Amino acid sequence: MTRRFGMALPLVFAALVFLTLMWAHGRRDARLGPRAAEAQTTVAVPASAPASHESERRAHVDPVCNMEVGPQIASQRDGTSWYFCTTICRERFESDPSAYAGETCLVCRSEGKLTRVEASAVATVWQEHTYRFCSRAHRDAFRAEPLDYFMHSMWGLPGWLYYASVAGILLLSFLLLEWRSVLGRFGAAAAREGPLEESPTRYDLFRIPGLRTILTHAQFRFALRALVVLAFAGIVTAGLFGNQLPSKNIAPLLTWTVWWGGLVWLVLYFGKAWCYVCPWDAIAEWSERAKLWGRRTAGLGLSLPWPRWLRNIWPATILFIALTWIELGFGVTLKPRVTAWLGLAILILAFGSAFVFDRKSFCRYGCLVGRISGLYALFAPVELRARDRDVCRSCRTHSCYKGNASGDPCPMFEYPAMMQQNTYCILCMECVKTCEANNVTLRARPWGADLLAHARPRSDEAYLALIMLSLSGFHGLTMTAAWRDIVAWIQSTFAVGSTLAFSLGMLAMMVAPVLVYAMMIGLSRWASGLTAASYREYFVRYAYALLPIALFYHLAHNSEHLLMEGQKVVALASDPLGFEWNLLGTAGWSLPPLASLPTLWVLQVALITIGHVFSLWAARRAAAALFPGGRAALRSQIPMLVAVVLFSVVSLWLLKQPMEMRTSAM
């Protein structure tokens, strides 16, 4: 019963999200009634918007926060309709309409002030439009970095929802801690059904007619990879040679909003599916093999073994930290050319590794995308596994690992007979093709199955999990006013430049959660009276329990970008380089966000709550693995419960803050 519910949960959640979005859109259209057609074409554009866009807008610009919105919240003034993201912005506008209806200094707006400017004010021309400022200093600041002044702010969770969510988190935590609660009996029932990896409720997806044939067909995979490679080539071309204004170039939006935001959702439902079509790996593999598909024969590479001292995921962890520093510290998300160069840098790493090292060593040890998605894939509801391990024990060829005439050796050095987790499998299907006994299959399973199993933990994975938790929160923090205050304080206190201040702040924010976790682990071990396990074992095992918090905060944060900005790709697809093309006839479209802010808030709170519950459950299973008796396990969980609650509340607090979105409403 409990496993059936676990199997259904991903589908139920996906259906609820879809129905909520559809209901919100239907409710908006019903409320507009016969005025819907007029609402879609009646446009009020702030005076600071470029004149060339005025006739093209179909979404509406909130004059208070400068965000593109739908027509659901409106106000009338002098025969003109103004539209807003929330009633908060509408109330601010109605309190002083003249302050928002006229042209204001962009630099003052970025500082939270509204300074009206007249036609005679100091001005500068940028992107064929004239902008006026309250002073020469502000004009010069704009000239130095114009893109900094075209962000738009979006309200975070309202106070009542934030506090209600915190109360809900505390209540759920109490229920999960109570050993004989309803949830405790639920966990006991799950234990009686046996370990997750032995659960009969796993569903063999290869029972679906034709699925195995399709996924193992070389030309099918080549076709999918070729499409993604073409998209990658388009992003690089647009980034290097297109208009460098991010609102007119498809590269930043498609990379940082659509792909990066969608990737985490892809992992949540399909695990390492991205690796199946990865363009970096595809280009490197085709080049090294000098063929587009088929079994590898005599390649062009040296096939040297990866250095033994680097056979861990620290290279990927270091690259992840470096990418975060570059992305956030230098505003890469608003720079098409730098975005393209970063994509090429990853290609060079994959390309070089393919020609030097054996199999896909870079994918296993160095790829930051693969390793982040690999840890998140512990939560995914799909797995590639051996059907019957007894069949594997009697196998003498081990073709799934060594390869045969039907397919290549496992490129990730994995042996399916022993594989218990999704972390390193890239779903290439080579083991499915090479197994003579047809004993490898793709299965559906409950969410979080690998986290709740008792596989051997690794310290490098544990530290990456903690860093992912730290940096996902740090990413959200950098988009708030609080982060600007922190950087300004570091600069004034230590008399350092902005780059060094950012770096010091990032280091502090990255290390602080790890230190909090380390302290709570010490308290937990002391409370339990545990002497059999070392502090290191304790530290490493419990770190995996924090992955759901990192994953679902990542989803909540990225959904903010995906749902509020992702629709802009429709217009940019017609003019990807910003050369005033209209290839698809959609270049003039400016669609409203895919969800209203209230709908987004509900989704974000739901995601944080799901991550919190699974983190507590994973911590409980870790405690059960460490302690033979229930009383010591219960004592050990109290400090861990405090840590999990703290991290979840911080996640909610970050979502509560007004966010500066990546692309402007120009």
Side-chain angles (χ1 to χ4, degrees):
M1 176 65 181
T2 55
R3 291 294 186 265
R4 293 189 185 94
F5 174 76
M7 288 282 290
L9 182 58
L11 296 177
V12 170
F13 181 71
L16 288 175
V17 171
F18 177 77
L19 291 174
T20 299
L21 292 175
M22 292 301 99
W23 172 81
H25 280 280
R27 185 165 175 261
R28 183 198 71 188
D29 294 340
R31 183 168 57 248
L32 290 171
R35 296 176 55 244
E38 178 187 355
Q40 291 297 328
T41 56
T42 301
V43 182
V45 182
S48 59
S52 61
H53 285 224
E54 292 182 10
S55 62
E56 299 177 358
R57 290 194 178 279
R58 298 183 183 181
H60 309 284
V61 177
D62 185 323
V64 177
C65 66
N66 205 33
M67 173 181 164
E68 288 188 348
V69 296
Q72 60 267 37
I73 301 175
S75 178
Q76 298 287 329
R77 174 176 168 79
D78 298 331
T80 302
S81 297
W82 297 83
Y83 298 91
F84 306 91
C85 64
T86 63
T87 56
I88 301 173
C89 283
R90 184 177 65 185
E91 290 168 0
R92 289 194 173 189
F93 175 83
E94 292 177 344
S95 67
D96 188 6
S98 62
Y100 295 98
E103 185 174 7
T104 58
C105 174
L106 291 177
V107 178
C108 288
R109 284 181 70 101
S110 71
E111 297 172 352
K113 298 178 293 185
L114 291 173
T115 305
R116 291 286 303 275
V117 291
E118 304 299 332
S120 58
V122 291
T124 189
V125 176
W126 187 69
Q127 293 292 327
E128 301 179 354
H129 182 73
T130 300
Y131 297 93
R132 295 176 175 83
F133 303 90
C134 64
S135 67
R136 293 181 181 276
H138 279 189
R139 182 195 62 184
D140 294 342
F142 174 82
R143 284 176 171 175
E145 198 63 60
L147 293 178
D148 287 350
Y149 304 101
F150 287 102
M151 306 290 284
H152 64 262
S153 298
M154 189 174 75
W155 294 105
L157 297 178
W160 70 268
L161 182 57
Y162 167 72
Y163 293 114
S165 303
V166 171
I169 289 292
L170 294 174
L171 178 61
L172 284 172
S173 302
F174 173 77
L175 290 176
L176 282 171
L177 183 65
E178 177 58 44
W179 212 250
R180 290 182 174 84
S181 65
V182 174
L183 290 174
R185 290 194 294 273
F186 177 86
R192 287 195 297 273
E193 290 185 22
L196 282 167
E197 61 269 18
E198 299 173 4
S199 170
T201 56
R202 292 287 208 280
Y203 178 75
D204 190 341
L205 293 173
F206 284 166
R207 293 179 184 175
I208 300 174
L211 183 61
R212 183 184 188 278
T213 301
I214 291 173
L215 293 181
T216 56
H217 198 285
Q219 284 82 359
F220 173 77
R221 190 185 183 200
F222 164 75
L224 289 183
R225 295 169 100 183
L227 288 175
V228 179
V229 167
L230 286 175
F232 172 71
I235 290 173
V236 171
T237 301
L240 293 179
F241 307 110
N243 190 318
Q244 293 304 298
L245 185 66
S247 62
K248 292 186 175 182
N249 192 306
I250 200 171
L253 183 71
L254 202 57
T255 301
W256 303 108
T257 298
V258 177
W259 172 70
W260 189 241
L263 177 64
V264 188
W265 281 100
L266 182 69
V267 174
L268 181 67
Y269 279 94
F270 300 101
K272 298 295 292 300
W274 169 255
C275 296
Y276 187 80
V277 297
C278 173
W280 299 301
D281 176 54
I283 295 172
E285 180 182 300
W286 297 340
S287 302
E288 191 275 331
R289 296 186 179 197
K291 60 193 303 187
L292 298 178
W293 61 73
R295 187 175 182 273
R296 185 183 189 278
T297 51
L300 304 178
L302 300 176
S303 296
L304 300 176
W306 187 266
R308 184 174 297 275
W309 62 278
L310 281 178
R311 291 180 188 177
N312 50 59
I313 62 173
W314 281 111
T317 302
I318 293 171
L319 285 177
F320 176 47
I321 295 171
L323 177 63
T324 303
W325 180 71
I326 294 171
E327 174 197 349
L328 301 178
F330 296 92
V332 172
T333 56
L334 293 174
K335 297 178 179 178
R337 187 167 288 120
V338 181
T339 296
W341 280 117
L342 283 176
L344 289 174
I346 296 177
L347 175 61
I348 291 170
L349 290 173
F351 199 89
S353 176
F355 277 85
V356 175
F357 298 111
D358 189 20
R359 303 193 190 186
K360 297 188 186 298
S361 296
F362 175 75
C363 295
R364 182 176 179 94
Y365 302 113
C367 179
L368 61 97
V369 177
R371 297 290 50 83
I372 292 170
S373 61
L375 285 186
Y376 281 160
L378 296 175
F379 199 87
V382 294
E383 63 181 14
L384 193 73
R385 296 288 190 276
R387 281 195 179 95
D388 186 344
R389 297 198 177 185
D390 289 336
V391 173
C392 294
R393 293 187 186 99
S394 62
C395 177
R396 294 293 177 267
T397 62
H398 304 301
S399 296
C400 59
Y401 181 81
K402 298 178 181 178
N404 56 26
S406 300
D408 292 331
C410 175
M412 298 297 287
F413 307 94
E414 289 288 295
Y415 181 37
M418 303 296 294
M419 191 167 65
Q420 300 180 45
Q421 293 181 324
N422 284 347
T423 311
Y424 300 99
C425 175
I426 60 172
L427 298 179
C428 64
M429 302 295 161
E430 294 298 328
C431 58
V432 177
K433 293 188 287 187
T434 56
C435 179
E436 294 94 342
N438 192 25
N439 194 43
V440 183
T441 190
L442 187 69
R443 300 187 300 199
R445 65 183 193 178
W447 259 343
D450 287 346
L451 290 174
L452 304 181
H454 302 308
R456 188 176 71 178
R458 294 174 45 137
S459 60
D460 54 347
E461 293 178 357
Y463 277 106
L464 178 57
L466 293 172
I467 290 171
M468 287 163 61
L469 176 68
S470 299
L471 292 185
S472 61
F474 173 70
H475 199 287
L477 180 64
T478 59
M479 302 180 68
T480 68
W483 175 247
R484 290 199 302 269
D485 294 339
I486 291 172
V487 172
W489 178 84
I490 294 174
Q491 284 185 269
S492 61
T493 303
F494 299 100
V496 296
S498 59
T499 301
L500 183 54
F502 176 90
S503 303
L504 292 173
M506 175 179 169
L507 179 62
M509 296 302 167
M510 185 174 66
V511 172
V514 179
L515 294 179
V516 170
Y517 170 76
M519 180 181 67
M520 290 301 180
I521 282 295
L523 290 174
S524 178
R525 188 169 183 269
W526 171 79
S528 69
L530 179 66
T531 56
S534 65
Y535 176 85
R536 178 182 178 278
E537 179 183 356
Y538 212 79
F539 183 98
V540 170
R541 184 174 290 275
Y542 267 118
Y544 289 83
L546 298 180
L547 271 172
I549 293 179
L551 168 61
F552 280 91
Y553 172 76
H554 204 158
L555 285 166
H557 177 83
N558 281 9
S559 295
E560 191 169 341
H561 296 292
L562 194 60
L563 294 176
M564 307 308 290
E565 298 182 316
Q567 78 283 354
K568 296 181 180 181
V569 76
V570 175
L572 288 173
S574 267
D575 187 18
L577 277 68
F579 289 167
E580 304 301 329
W581 297 340
N582 196 5
L583 302 176
L584 305 178
T586 60
W589 292 20
S590 184
L591 302 176
L594 300 176
S596 65
L597 277 182
T599 303
L600 175 65
W601 293 335
V602 171
L603 174 61
Q604 289 178 319
V605 170
L607 288 169
I608 296 299
T609 302
I610 292 172
H612 181 78
V613 169
F614 271 96
S615 278
L616 288 177
W617 196 8
R620 182 172 173 177
R621 292 293 290 262
L626 284 169
F627 303 98
R631 188 174 297 275
L634 178 61
R635 289 197 304 267
S636 76
Q637 279 204 290
I638 295 175
M640 284 306 300
L641 180 142
V642 172
V644 171
V645 168
L646 176 62
F647 291 135
S648 293
V649 170
V650 169
S651 297
L652 288 169
W653 180 84
L654 287 170
L655 295 175
K656 181 179 181 293
Q657 307 309 304
M659 290 285 182
E660 292 183 339
M661 303 300 281
R662 290 190 179 108
T663 55
S664 71
M666 291 187 291

